[in-house]
Amino acid sequence: MRNGRTGFEELPISTRTRRTRLTVAAVVTAVLLALCVADLPSFARPEPPSGRIELSQGWQLASARTVQADGVALSSPGTPEGGWHTVTHMPATVLQALQDDGTYPDLYFDENLTDVPDDLYRQDWWYRTTFAAPAGSTSYRLELPGVNYRAEVWLNGRMVAGNAEVVGCTPTTSSTCPASSTPAARTPSRSG
């Protein structure tokens, strides 16, 4: 039978039917909410962000001419042999680090700059430090804002980026590193 508004006759709904429909709707809503906020399986959980540490202290610098070890040895934990200079703060150029540690006196005074060898920039240099990686992550990103030319980056005995990848002002590389890590960066000379 048709009525004037909807075209169909409206049948009365019992209170019991209405209550049942509301209960079913409430249960379905509760199940959907539970599924939406349920814990993800371990393989699907995003990794928490790793803590950020600045590696501006504790660096050493040496000419590749005086250090006979390779990147594998220099980026492994332990004390390297050779004529290492303390770098007071990174980023620092080779000349700045050598001035800061007293190898060369104030380069802007008198004719002190003339005492710096002409081939200083024609040789490769190693920068090295050791750090403890923040817990809670399995991979980290190394940002090397002090590299203004090119560098090889070694971490725990393995090259993680070559001098074709680490170029320019703010190079970065990603790697997996354990709790204690030793990076080393070899900056090639600009002459070759």
Side-chain angles (χ1 to χ4, degrees):
M1 183 169 195
R2 295 180 166 249
N3 70 11
R5 281 185 287 148
T6 61
F8 293 99
E9 183 178 340
E10 293 181 21
L11 299 175
I13 298 175
S14 70
T15 306
R16 184 174 188 181
T17 304
R18 199 174 268 150
R19 200 176 301 149
T20 303
R21 286 183 182 172
L22 287 174
T23 303
V24 169
V27 169
V28 169
T29 302
V31 169
L32 287 175
L33 283 173
L35 289 174
C36 291
V37 297
D39 198 17
L40 296 172
S42 61
F43 66 85
R45 279 188 210 126
E47 195 172 88
S50 59
R52 183 181 174 98
I53 58 171
E54 187 172 333
L55 301 176
S56 60
Q57 306 293 320
W59 285 86
Q60 298 172 304
L61 168 76
S63 169
R65 291 180 181 174
T66 62
V67 175
Q68 300 305 313
D70 61 3
V72 173
L74 292 176
S75 66
S76 298
T79 305
E81 294 183 18
W84 290 86
H85 301 269
T86 300
V87 180
T88 57
H89 192 273
M90 287 292 280
T93 65
V94 170
L95 195 54
Q96 178 186 359
L98 294 175
Q99 177 183 318
D100 290 347
D101 85 341
T103 301
Y104 300 112
D106 183 358
L107 298 171
Y108 299 104
F109 179 75
D110 200 25
E111 293 185 12
N112 289 344
L113 190 57
T114 59
D115 294 334
V116 176
D118 291 338
D119 70 342
L120 192 70
Y121 72 95
R122 291 189 194 108
Q123 55 187 298
D124 294 358
W125 290 85
W126 283 102
Y127 287 86
R128 183 183 191 279
T129 192
T130 299
F131 67 95
S137 292
T138 56
S139 62
Y140 301 86
R141 185 172 80 182
L142 289 172
E143 294 179 351
L144 306 165
V147 176
N148 62 6
Y149 181 59
R150 295 182 181 273
E152 292 176 356
V153 178
W154 295 76
L155 183 66
N156 298 330
R158 187 172 67 91
M159 186 190 306
V160 294
N163 63 19
E165 292 89 16
V166 183
V167 180
C169 296
T170 311
T172 63
T173 185
S174 297
S175 184
T176 302
C177 49
S180 180
S181 297
T182 303
R186 179 178 179 146
T187 58
S189 68
R190 292 185 184 211
S191 61

